Amino acid sequence: AQSVSQHNHHVILSEAASLELGCNYSYGGTVNLFWYVQYPGQHLQLLLKYFSGDPLVKGIKGFEAEFIKSKFSFNLRKPSVQWSDTAEYFCAVSPSGSARQLTFGSGTQLTVLP
Amino acid sequence: DADVTQTPRNRITKTGKRIMLECSQTKGHDRMYWYRQDPGLGLRLIYYSFDVKDINKGEISDGYSVSRQAQAKFSLSLESAIPNQTALYFCATSDLAGYGYTFGSGTRLTVV
């Protein structure tokens, strides 16, 4: 079975700082990778996803993520965060080629100080 | 209207009571899921259904049951609620490939 690790539980940044949130997965085959965001009091929304092709994927709101297969990683980045990026971020993985359910990481709470 | 609707939004119940959380969707997706979110643990899968006649246990199914009444409806039941089932519960749907997940707004359940 697949698993996902997010090592940063809480990240605090000032506005305009750069962001990188770590995500590592464990699975013996090829995977689909996702980042979801949960704003306070809201449901999960998809930020970006990777299925195949260019390992650098761009999502909404200026976020991007890079899939590094050799490191089993899919880190989320943003060059300059805003106060409105304060939210919880979840990395998720599912085996590709079969429609199996998502497995989520434990989440990273991002707080951006104005 | 939301694509995935969960009711109730909030519920407080007593230990030992039976409670049902409901989920309906207008996405036309065959696949539906119930997740539980706890602080520091992320989302964990309780049950999932790939069509009306297909129900599968997830990672943490003990103490829960589900019913897929129709393609659009998937209910989660706690037969005898206990305090450690206090959590935020999310319903989700996905397309056949499992690529496009849509989440409901969640049900915050408190068991006292």
Side-chain angles (χ1 to χ4, degrees):
Chain A
Q2 64 271 25
S3 65
V4 182
S5 295
Q6 292 182 246
H7 304 294
N8 309 108
H9 297 295
H10 194 182
V11 172
I12 302 174
L13 296 172
S14 298
E15 276 193 314
S18 64
L19 170 71
E20 181 161 2
L21 301 183
C23 172
N24 289 91
Y25 70 92
S26 173
Y27 185 69
T30 55
V31 294
N32 301 319
L33 295 156
F34 306 80
W35 274 99
Y36 283 86
V37 60
Q38 185 179 30
Y39 297 104
Q42 296 189 24
H43 61 281
L44 275 76
Q45 302 172 42
L46 182 66
L47 268 181
L48 48 79
K49 57 191 176 186
Y50 171 82
F51 299 148
S52 63
D54 188 343
L56 184 62
V57 293
K58 295 189 183 299
I60 61 172
K61 304 187 180 187
F63 287 92
E64 65 178 31
E66 184 175 13
F67 172 49
I68 302 180
K69 188 175 180 179
S70 61
K71 295 184 178 181
F72 298 89
S73 69
F74 189 56
N75 291 355
L76 181 71
R77 299 194 293 247
K78 186 172 184 179
S80 176
V81 295
Q82 301 172 324
W83 176 79
S84 58
D85 293 324
T86 294
E88 190 157 19
Y89 293 79
F90 294 94
C91 182
V93 62
S94 70
S96 58
S98 64
R100 301 195 195 161
Q101 66 278 9
L102 287 177
T103 297
F104 286 86
S106 57
T108 297
Q109 174 64 47
L110 172 65
T111 301
V112 180
L113 303 175
Chain B
D1 288 341
D3 293 325
V4 181
T5 302
Q6 291 184 235
T7 56
R9 291 296 304 275
N10 292 281
R11 180 74 181 267
I12 300 174
T13 192
K14 293 184 177 181
T15 298
K17 293 290 188 183
R18 183 180 188 276
I19 182 169
M20 178 182 288
L21 309 183
E22 301 192 12
C23 175
S24 63
Q25 53 114 346
T26 59
K27 297 288 290 185
H29 288 163
D30 286 322
R31 298 166 187 259
M32 298 188 73
Y33 310 82
W34 275 104
Y35 283 91
R36 166 179 171 161
Q37 184 180 16
D38 298 278
L41 296 178
L43 279 77
R44 292 179 292 167
L45 184 64
I46 306 172
Y47 270 95
Y48 61 102
S49 169
F50 282 177
D51 65 43
V52 175
K53 296 182 180 180
D54 177 76
I55 303 289
N56 303 281
K57 291 183 177 180
E59 180 185 353
I60 52 164
S61 60
D62 287 349
Y64 301 94
S65 63
V66 290
S67 173
R68 186 79 184 267
Q69 300 94 326
Q71 187 210 34
K73 295 183 182 296
F74 192 37
S75 300
L76 176 72
S77 293
L78 287 68
E79 296 301 325
S80 179
I82 56 177
N84 76 1
Q85 291 178 312
T86 293
L88 185 56
Y89 291 84
F90 285 103
C91 175
T93 73
S94 75
D95 55 22
L96 277 177
Y99 294 157
Y101 274 67
T102 302
F103 284 84
S105 297
T107 294
R108 185 167 296 281
L109 176 66
T110 303
V111 183
V112 297

